Amino acid sequence: MSGRDRTADGPADVAPGPAAHGEPLPDLAGLSHFALLYGGRGQDLGWAMAMLRQAAESKAPLQIAVPGATMRLVREALRPMPRTAFLADMTDLGRNPARLIPAALAFGDQHAGEHVCCLWEPAWPARSAAELREVTRHEALCNLAFSGREMTIVCLYDTSRLSSEVISDAERTHPMVVSSGCQRASASYLGPGQLPAGCDDPFPQPAHDAAFVTFDGHLGPVREFSAGQARAAGLESARARDLVLAVSELAANAIGHAGGGGVVRAWRTAQEMLCQVEDHGHIADPLAGRRRQPADAPGGHGLWLVNRVCDLVERRTGPAGTITRLHMRLRVPASG
């Protein structure tokens, strides 16, 4: 297939599909997790578009979450769009990368017994360093979260606009890599759930003028503190409520499971407000907060809600305790 569309940088050519190169597409069976490395202006995306067409022809459910420029190429390749496709803007759905696994699990559950195909583009140049670290964490955890599922996941990485470090981490977190229409096993793949170096480095220190409050069993002071800090930072009322909810859920989790108390710190930058919750608990499950619990399950909802309402959630946890850092943008994020 040869098609044309326009990216943020101008017209884009979609390279011919892999059939033109004699490269077979993956069998739609079991779990496959690919990093597709493509050049700028839409080059080398033919393999992904051919995979989508193959999946559409087999009536496989499609979950497609990519930024706008790539979405235009997808719409061109799949015209007419199959009824089995779910489309989402990745800059919204994946603004917090921790939302992606729950979204894919829910989509898979909606299509139980079918092989689900996902096309994602989780990284773009406008992402912050913290966001890109969480993209890498998400990619590593996919190999745990979807183990045993019938899924093909293809993750797009633009080698002309992303750093070599981001591309290297993509190869470390994906068992398979596609480049120039050819697929290969990743020689640097670390294994399911294994994080590349840097993902668990200590956080940068909070701002020197960060406000803080301690808590030891009562949520009232935590709610009052976080609401006041949100107002002072200028968060819109709905987003301020979301932040209060997230901080309260983390504090409640600490009270219930982590020795009963902790500290909340808050500060802002020119771009965002940050709240940090520190407690003495250890969250041993790397997928905590990335699986939605049934409504009647005892507990387990709080961390999922935190990921839902915040623009970014980072966590460092170990035997000495847990630090969770919440990010709320003061303005709508740019889409790379």
Side-chain angles (χ1 to χ4, degrees), residues 212-299:
F212 72 94
V213 66
T214 60
F215 61 94
D216 60 359
H218 301 284
L219 292 178
V222 169
R223 294 192 181 105
E224 183 178 349
F225 172 80
S226 52
Q229 292 296 312
R231 287 193 299 270
L235 282 182
E236 297 175 358
S237 59
R239 287 172 59 76
R241 288 193 298 271
D242 284 343
L243 181 66
V244 172
L245 172 63
V247 175
S248 299
E249 290 290 346
L250 292 174
N253 193 61
I255 291 169
H257 304 287
V263 180
V264 181
R265 306 183 195 276
W267 67 100
R268 61 164 291 176
T269 69
Q271 294 80 33
E272 61 184 0
M273 178 182 176
L274 298 97
C275 271
Q276 181 166 296
V277 181
E278 306 165 12
D279 62 54
H280 300 293
H282 177 205
I283 300 175
D285 180 5
L287 292 171
R290 297 174 194 254
R291 292 177 296 224
R292 186 173 186 178
Q293 301 294 328
D296 58 353

Side-chain angles (χ1 to χ4, degrees), residues 38 65-67 70 90 119-124 154-158:
Y38 74 96
V66 294
T70 306
M90 178 59 87
L119 181 72
W120 296 337
E121 189 164 11
W124 53 87
V154 178
C155 304
L156 307 180
Y157 286 84
D158 186 345

Side-chain angles (χ1 to χ4, degrees), residues 36-166:
L36 190 151
L37 312 182
Y38 74 96
R41 300 167 66 84
Q43 297 171 6
D44 301 326
L45 285 176
W47 190 97
M49 301 307 158
M51 185 277 293
L52 287 179
R53 288 196 300 275
Q54 171 185 280
E57 288 167 3
S58 69
K59 295 184 168 47
L62 304 176
Q63 186 193 62
I64 301 169
V66 294
T70 306
M71 187 65 79
R72 289 192 286 274
L73 301 180
V74 168
R75 290 183 180 278
E76 177 69 22
L78 290 182
R79 188 178 298 169
M81 187 62 61
R83 297 180 66 181
T84 57
F86 169 81
L87 308 181
D89 184 346
M90 178 59 87
T91 62
D92 181 24
L93 177 65
R95 184 165 66 247
N96 176 5
R99 298 176 189 166
L100 290 173
I101 286 175
L105 288 173
F107 187 71
D109 290 344
Q110 291 168 12
H111 300 279
E114 300 180 78
H115 189 93
V116 171
C117 294
C118 301
L119 181 72
W120 296 337
E121 189 164 11
W124 53 87
R127 283 239 197 234
S128 68
E131 289 171 344
L132 289 170
R133 281 193 299 271
E134 292 306 306
V135 167
T136 298
R137 183 185 302 274
H138 152 77
E139 295 282 34
L141 292 178
C142 281
N143 306 304
L144 287 179
F146 305 127
S147 177
R149 290 212 171 214
E150 287 289 326
M151 297 184 73
T152 296
I153 306 168
V154 178
C155 304
L156 307 180
Y157 286 84
D158 186 345
T159 58
S160 72
R161 303 176 71 203
L162 298 169
S163 71
S164 59
E165 181 181 0
V166 170

